[in-house]
């Protein structure tokens, strides 16, 4: 006698972490940039380093100008690692430091990275950064380092992780309580700091989540969608 098949509803659904960014809400204040630096122990870059193109920002605010003076409008677009489903950075790494997690994140193993920068050259979004120098923080900024995030040494690549330390914390809590992570329970630093709630994070595999509903809107699009990288970040067009 054959055993009855397990119903699909009883099979645990995997997570697929994604982000939605409403460009109609973004004011370009860069609060997300500052919060990302503080949360993820991103080193300070001086004037000289920035002038040489060696500053590190896991998230940047792109500015676009429309019209001619005096009728000029400026638009802002936060750009960070797109956590691509078919990431160009992953297959070129010779030591498998860049790989895809079951949750849909493009992870970076710092201790494995040898700094060949193949991943950075293969990233069409230019969101991977090579750490040229040993990290330093002017006093008293060294007192605010996040103990949950490693301080990266020089000679390796680094990028946005969707604040994976916060993801793991809430996932472990949910597992102990025998439940799934609730929608809105995981809040990356950039999402938490946005004063206009332009950034939303959640589980795309949950059709009822806020991020899933935003991704299904008519205004949604992906950055450089024609490349077929399957980004995990959905942008919402400005309302004109």
């Amino acid at each position: 006698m054959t055993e009855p098949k397990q119903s699909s509803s009883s099979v645990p659904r995997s997570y697929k972490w994604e982000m939605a960014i409403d460009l109609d809400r973004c004011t370009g204040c860069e609060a997300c940039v500052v919060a990302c630096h503080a949360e993820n122990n991103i080193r300070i870059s001086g004037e000289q380093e920035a002038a040489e193109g060696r500053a590190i920002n896991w998230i940047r605010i792109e500015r676009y100008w429309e019209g001619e003076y005096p009728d000029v409008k400026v638009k802002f677009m936060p750009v960070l690692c797109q956590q691509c489903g078919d990431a160009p950075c992953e297959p070129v790494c010779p030591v498998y430091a860049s790989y895809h997690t079951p949750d849909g994140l493009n992870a970076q193993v710092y201790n494995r990275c040898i700094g060949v920068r193949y991943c950075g050259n293969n990233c069409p979004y230019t969101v991977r950064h090579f750490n040229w120098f040993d990290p330093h923080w002017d006093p008293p900024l060294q007192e605010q380092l996040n103990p949950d995030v490693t301080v990266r040494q020089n000679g390796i690549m680094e990028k946005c992780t969707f604040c994976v330390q916060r993801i793991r914390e809430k996932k472990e809590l949910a597992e102990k309580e025998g439940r799934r992570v609730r929608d809105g329970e995981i809040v990356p630093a950039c999402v938490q700091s946005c004063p206009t709630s332009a950034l939303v994070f959640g589980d795309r595999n949950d059709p009822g989540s806020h991020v899933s509903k935003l991704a299904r809107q008519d205004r949604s699009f992906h950055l450089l969608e024609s490349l077929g990288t399957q980004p995990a970040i959905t942008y919402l067009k400005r309302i004109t």
Side-chain angles (χ1 to χ4, degrees), residues 47-194:
E47 257 184 71
Q48 186 63 31
E49 295 176 22
E52 295 174 356
R54 295 178 177 178
I56 293 181
N57 294 292
W58 284 9
I59 179 172
R60 67 179 186 271
I61 305 297
E62 297 279 7
R63 291 184 296 176
Y64 299 91
W65 303 90
E66 287 186 355
E68 297 182 359
Y69 182 83
D71 299 320
V72 180
K73 294 182 179 180
V74 61
K75 297 182 178 180
F76 303 100
M77 174 182 282
V79 180
L80 58 158
C81 177
Q82 303 293 298
Q83 310 291 347
C84 303
D86 190 7
C89 59
E90 293 174 359
V92 297
C93 181
V95 294
Y96 201 58
S98 178
Y99 73 99
H100 214 69
T101 71
D103 292 350
L105 299 181
N106 176 237
Q108 179 74 14
V109 183
Y110 302 123
N111 290 339
R112 191 180 292 166
C113 180
I114 57 176
V116 293
R117 291 179 283 170
Y118 291 166
C119 58
N121 292 332
N122 226 37
C123 176
Y125 306 101
T126 60
V127 290
R128 284 178 164 269
H129 301 277
F130 183 71
N131 202 345
W132 291 91
F133 308 102
D134 285 324
H136 71 277
W137 290 268
D138 297 331
L141 295 179
Q142 77 279 3
E143 303 295 338
Q144 58 88 43
L145 294 181
N146 187 350
D148 295 329
V149 181
T150 181
V151 175
R152 282 79 60 191
Q153 63 183 6
N154 66 347
I156 64 170
M157 301 295 296
E158 57 180 82
K159 65 168 192 68
C160 166
T161 65
F162 272 175
C163 289
V164 68
Q165 67 278 2
R166 296 191 177 193
I167 295 176
R168 288 173 178 167
E169 178 188 1
K170 296 303 181 182
K171 280 186 64 178
E172 291 174 1
L173 176 62
E175 289 174 1
K176 289 179 181 178
E177 297 178 354
R179 59 173 177 83
R180 290 183 58 81
V181 175
R182 302 185 185 95
D183 185 35
E185 189 173 5
I186 299 175
V187 184
C190 57
V191 178
Q192 180 182 3
S193 64
C194 183

